[in-house]
C-alpha cells in the first residue's frame, strides 16, 4: 500500500478552518469514506493553533465523538488534516464480550502527533467499525499490545502502553492521521452491514463469521 500524500494545507489555513469549526455553533459533520481528507497524511502539529483555539477544538471533537457516538475521533474526520485525535471508551459492554475483547474503560485524552509500535508478537482479530464508514463493520487483525507516544495539548510528551480494546482504539485513531482506514487492514470477506452483524455475528469472537463468510 503506497503512503498517502501529505496534505498541502498551510498553517494559516489550518488555523482558519479550526476557528470556523469552533465558532460554528453546531457540531461538525463527520466526513465519510471517499472524502480526500481521509486519504491524506495529516499535518504534524507545530503550534499552528494557539492554546485557546486548540483547547476549544479538542472540546468540540469530544462532544462530536460523544454525539456520534464513538470511542475515538481524529481531526481529519471533521475535515481538518491535523495530527490530532481524541479517545475515550466509557460505554458499558456485555460482560462476556468485554472480557473476551479485554475491553476496559479508557479515560478521555487527546493526542497530538501520535505514533505506536507493536509490543510482542500477539495479535487479535475482532469486528471493528468507523464513524467515517457509516453502516458497516469488518474484522481487523491488530497487535494486541502497543506502545504509544504523543504530545498532550499542554505540550508535554507522553508515553504509555495499551492492550486489548484500548490498543485497538489507539491504533485505529492513529491510522486515521496517516490516511489509513480500518478497511485497508480488514478481512474484506468479513465486511457486514451493521444489521447483518447484529443479526448474525455479534459474538465475542468472529469464529462463526470466519467459517461462514470464508476468511
Amino acid at each position: 500500500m503506497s503512503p498517502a500524500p501529505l496534505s498541502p494545507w498551510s498553517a494559516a489555513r489550518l488555523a482558519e478552518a479550526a476557528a470556523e469549526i469552533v465558532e460554528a455553533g453546531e457540531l461538525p459533520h463527520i466526513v465519510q469514506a471517499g472524502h480526500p481528507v481521509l486519504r491524506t497524511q495529516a499535518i504534524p502539529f507545530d503550534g499552528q493553533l494557539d492554546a485557546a483555539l486548540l483547547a476549544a477544538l479538542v472540546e468540540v471533537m469530544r462532544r462530536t465523538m460523544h454525539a456520534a457516538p464513538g470511542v475515538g475521533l481524529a481531526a481529519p474526520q471533521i475535515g481538518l488534516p491535523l495530527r490530532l485525535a481524541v479517545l475515550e471508551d466509557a460505554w458499558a459492554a456485555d460482560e462476556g464480550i468485554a472480557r473476551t475483547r479485554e475491553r476496559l474503560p479508557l479515560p478521555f485524552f487527546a493526542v497530538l502527533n501520535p505514533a505506536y509500535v507493536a509490543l510482542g508478537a500477539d495479535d487479535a482479530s475482532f469486528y471493528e467499525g468507523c464513524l467515517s464508514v457509516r453502516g458497516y463493520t469488518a474484522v481487523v487483525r491488530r497487535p494486541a499490545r502497543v506502545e504509544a507516544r504523543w504530545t498532550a495539548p499542554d505540550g508535554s510528551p507522553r508515553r504509555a502502553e495499551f492492550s486489548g480494546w484500548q490498543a485497538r482504539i489507539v491504533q485505529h485513531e492513529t491510522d486515521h492521521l496517516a490516511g489509513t482506514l480500518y478497511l485497508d487492514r480488514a478481512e474484506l470477506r468479513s465486511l457486514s452491514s451493521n444489521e447483518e452483524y447484529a443479526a448474525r455475528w455479534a459474538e465475542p469472537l468472529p469464529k462463526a463469521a470466519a467459517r461462514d463468510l470464508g476468511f
Side-chain angles (χ1 to χ4, degrees):
M1 184 171 60
S2 300
L6 182 67
S7 172
W9 284 32
S10 67
R13 187 180 178 193
L14 278 172
E16 181 180 1
E20 289 176 354
I21 290 169
V22 167
E23 296 166 3
E26 58 186 16
L27 296 180
H29 172 70
I30 296 176
V31 301
Q32 296 300 301
H35 193 299
V37 73
L38 297 174
R39 290 310 198 174
T40 58
Q41 294 187 59
I43 299 167
F45 180 79
D46 188 25
Q48 297 96 329
L49 315 184
D50 64 30
L53 179 54
L54 178 59
L57 178 62
V58 166
E59 179 56 26
V60 168
M61 291 177 62
R62 182 180 188 177
R63 291 192 287 115
T64 303
M65 174 181 65
H66 287 170
V71 296
L73 185 72
Q77 292 180 275
I78 58 170
L80 190 69
L82 183 66
R83 291 190 64 81
L84 165 66
V86 296
L87 306 87
E88 182 179 20
D89 186 6
W91 299 100
D94 174 89
E95 183 177 343
I97 292 177
R99 182 170 55 253
T100 299
R101 297 180 179 178
E102 297 181 62
R103 185 172 181 176
L104 298 174
L106 181 65
F108 177 82
F109 66 111
V111 297
L112 292 161
N113 304 333
Y116 67 83
V117 294
L119 296 175
D122 293 341
D123 54 31
S125 295
F126 293 111
Y127 269 98
E128 186 173 321
C130 179
L131 298 177
S132 290
V133 188
R134 190 179 297 125
Y136 288 90
T137 182
V139 172
V140 183
R141 182 182 299 275
R142 293 190 183 273
R145 295 175 56 241
V146 298
E147 177 185 273
R149 297 175 183 267
W150 69 94
T151 300
D154 66 5
S156 60
R158 303 291 177 88
R159 170 195 169 279
E161 294 182 8
F162 298 91
S163 62
W165 207 255
Q166 294 183 354
R168 184 169 294 266
I169 296 170
V170 168
Q171 292 171 77
H172 181 114
E173 298 308 325
T174 303
D175 283 357
H176 266 303
L177 306 179
T180 298
L181 295 176
Y182 84 96
L183 292 174
D184 299 325
R185 304 187 185 278
E187 296 280 359
L188 288 183
R189 291 186 67 91
S190 72
L191 184 67
S192 304
S193 70
N194 288 346
E195 293 80 9
E196 288 293 334
Y197 170 77
R200 301 175 186 275
W201 315 126
E203 301 175 351
L205 293 169
K207 292 181 178 179
R211 180 190 66 232
D212 294 347
L213 297 178
F215 62 90

